[in-house]
Amino acid sequence: MKKCRVIASFVALCFAPGLIFAAPETFEIDPVHSFVIFKVRHMNVGNAYGEFNNFKGTVVQDKEAPEKSSLQMEVDVKSLDTKNEKRDQHVLGPDFLNANQFPTMTFKSESAKKLSENQFELTGQFTLHGVTKPLTLKVEKIGEATDPKGVTRVGGESTFTIKRSEFGISKMMDMLGDDITVTVALEAIKKPAQ
């Protein structure tokens, strides 16, 4: 009888008025308010910067079970923009990104961990130039709000470094550094419930 009362109490608590367990929320990346920026050392003199203008993806936020949160993102390599068309064409060519053969780069998380209130760790697979390697991102959740149209938005940012030589991009190592530092700053829009 005691066990039955405990179970009954638990069921009553779960379905008590006003008590709601948050379900996972799915967001679509808003490319208008998001950025994928990178920098690389040029001749050990300065840093050269660029960005990718076209990308898409989804963010799943699970507040009750953060380890079930996830990120999937695809970047259009041909949307490279370094503010110089001639340089863009060189970087997109076979010496570097070889965008005709490898038109996208992707990240798909496989696990997530909450480090603190607004700090998370996502581990997954990153594919660039046809090579896939594990990558761990430290992500800071910037905030969450409802916009004037009544749509929920969430935002976060991560900065990480990869070595281009590990992805088969090893030309002109004397001119451009091996380390590429990438900043991904995302805003995402909550998708309506199905």
Side-chain angles (χ1 to χ4, degrees):
M1 286 295 295
K2 184 176 181 180
K3 184 177 180 181
C4 291
R5 285 197 299 270
V6 170
I7 294 173
S9 298
F10 177 75
V11 171
L13 178 64
C14 287
F15 292 95
L19 184 63
I20 300 174
F21 290 97
E25 301 169 296
T26 300
F27 296 78
E28 286 188 352
I29 292 172
D30 174 9
V32 176
H33 297 97
S34 301
F35 304 88
V36 178
I37 304 166
F38 66 89
K39 69 176 181 179
V40 58
R41 188 64 55 87
H42 177 245
M43 295 180 61
N44 274 327
V45 172
N47 290 320
Y49 286 78
E51 62 183 318
F52 293 93
N53 293 321
N54 298 331
F55 44 84
K56 61 184 179 180
T58 57
V59 177
V60 175
Q61 175 180 253
D62 193 326
K63 294 179 179 177
E64 295 294 329
E67 68 278 3
K68 295 180 181 178
S69 298
S70 65
L71 168 65
Q72 292 194 19
M73 189 170 180
E74 180 180 294
V75 177
D76 176 5
V77 172
K78 291 184 179 181
S79 70
L80 172 78
D81 184 0
T82 69
K83 312 304 180 189
N84 183 281
E85 186 175 351
K86 184 177 180 180
R87 178 171 55 216
D88 290 350
Q89 293 308 310
H90 186 199
V91 175
L92 290 172
D95 282 349
F96 295 104
L97 294 175
N98 201 356
N100 285 333
Q101 185 175 352
F102 308 111
T104 61
M105 69 177 83
T106 60
F107 176 77
K108 296 180 180 181
S109 68
E110 297 175 326
S111 65
K113 180 166 46 173
K114 185 175 182 178
L115 303 178
S116 64
E117 186 61 30
N118 293 311
Q119 300 287 334
F120 300 84
E121 186 176 270
L122 295 175
T123 297
Q125 298 296 320
F126 176 64
T127 299
L128 168 64
H129 198 245
V131 179
T132 300
K133 289 186 172 293
L135 179 66
T136 297
L137 307 180
K138 295 287 181 64
V139 180
E140 178 186 4
K141 182 179 179 181
I142 305 297
E144 184 172 340
T146 302
D147 67 20
K149 295 181 179 180
V151 177
T152 302
R153 290 176 170 268
V154 65
E157 184 170 305
S158 178
T159 297
F160 58 95
T161 299
I162 61 170
K163 289 189 178 296
R164 65 183 178 99
S165 61
E166 294 182 351
F167 293 86
I169 307 172
S170 55
K171 295 283 184 68
M172 299 176 63
M173 299 296 288
D174 56 332
M175 297 290 289
L176 294 175
D178 195 13
D179 290 347
I180 311 290
T181 300
V182 182
T183 295
V184 178
L186 299 180
E187 278 192 29
I189 304 169
K190 186 176 179 180
K191 295 177 66 174
Q194 299 297 320

